[in-house]
Amino acid sequence: MKFREKNAAKNDKIVLAYSIEQLISNGREMKVLKISNQKFGENAILYSLTNDNGLTMNVTNLGARIVDLIVPVNGEKRNIVLGFDTAEEYLSKDMYFGATIGRVAGRIKDGSFSIDNHKYQLPVSPENGHTLHGGPESFEAKIWKAEIEEKSNQVSVIFSYMSPDGEHGFPGELKARVIYSLTNENEWIVDYQAETDQPTLYNPTNHVYFNLTGDVTQSVGEHELFVDADRFAVVDSDTTVTGELRSVDETPFDFKESKSMNQVFETRSEQNNLVNGLDHPFILNRTGFDQPQAIITAPKKDLSVEMYTDRPAVVIFTAQFGEMGPEVRGEKLVNHGGLTLETQVSPGAVEFDGFGDIILYPETIYQSRTIYKIN
């Protein structure tokens, strides 16, 4: 069973609402999917996916982003990701919260790159002269097409966007799809797919912020973090990578055993003090879906999120907004009020050997998957 919804016209006031009920194999009736009849903005729609365990994931076609991840914990509902209540708040406060990032996640130094000896120049930030997350008003600002797909074991929202040749200086018409699925195993699955008609760069991610307390006035310092990574990428004062991959051993970057996040906030380590926490790529020791590459655990150990990915790196950012943190669902976001697990090829792949390859050719279909499992 599928429903397709085209982009709403600018002044379109149509409200869409669906409710799907499914009978699963043992005969129990399970309410698998509801799509809210509440508009999320002038052109944006909020989709609400609920599994058999009462876990609800709200996503929107504005930026193909996750808005809420509401988990039952000890009889109460806890929203464990940072987000806003309306599309307008994303536009005015922070467009990256929960969004799909592309064409290229992270910073491209000087906004320049070459493919097959052809040089390209992207728009750069006037503050630092680099290109961040594909340039201004990239994937995170677009209204994506949306398709709803129901399967016996999961329900999905399929977002698609066609990035025209030359958008933000990138070559090639790129057809991108991002699929958000919710399963009865409490998994949020993110599948990325893309194809291009010219050689181009492609390295997407999701900019989700987790705070497992559900309280944005609490720092994530008391969270515990496990990351199966022996190395991290060293960054410069402008948070571009330097090209050095450094061992995590005997540094605050060592999370090979689960440790408190406070170790990156209370240290005198130059790399942590440079960014006031973490804003670094971790090079994963392995990829795949047999064992988690990262785990975040709530302070009371009543909730955890496991990350599984086929990407070789994860960028962890600890929301060091200081006093500039936005109001989130009626509360002022505290400094270090969230942390990201942004799976991708490490930033620096354009500039440095050994950081990976993010060139996508027409004969290749891009596919990758990341799973966040809530326990």
Side-chain angles (χ1 to χ4, degrees), residues 215-277:
D215 182 355
V216 303
T217 68
Q218 291 190 36
S219 161
V220 297
E222 298 300 324
H223 286 56
E224 290 189 0
L225 178 66
F226 160 80
V227 185
D228 187 9
D230 289 337
R231 299 177 297 162
F232 71 97
V234 175
V235 301
D236 213 334
S237 58
D238 57 6
T239 59
T240 58
V241 297
T242 65
E244 177 187 355
L245 297 177
R246 186 178 296 176
S247 172
V248 303
D249 291 345
E250 299 181 358
T251 77
F253 292 83
D254 187 354
F255 290 99
K256 289 181 289 184
E257 294 182 1
S258 187
K259 296 177 184 175
S260 167
M261 287 296 299
N262 274 324
Q263 74 179 31
V264 301
F265 303 139
E266 298 173 351
T267 179
R268 294 183 179 179
S269 167
E270 175 265 342
Q271 275 289 294
N272 299 111
N273 291 341
L274 188 68
V275 299
N276 190 19

Side-chain angles (χ1 to χ4, degrees), residues 357-375:
D357 183 5
I358 62 171
I359 299 176
L360 180 64
Y361 288 96
E363 59 268 23
T364 303
I365 295 177
Y366 179 94
Q367 295 187 81
S368 72
R369 168 174 283 194
T370 293
I371 300 173
Y372 302 101
K373 182 175 176 60
I374 297 88
N375 295 307

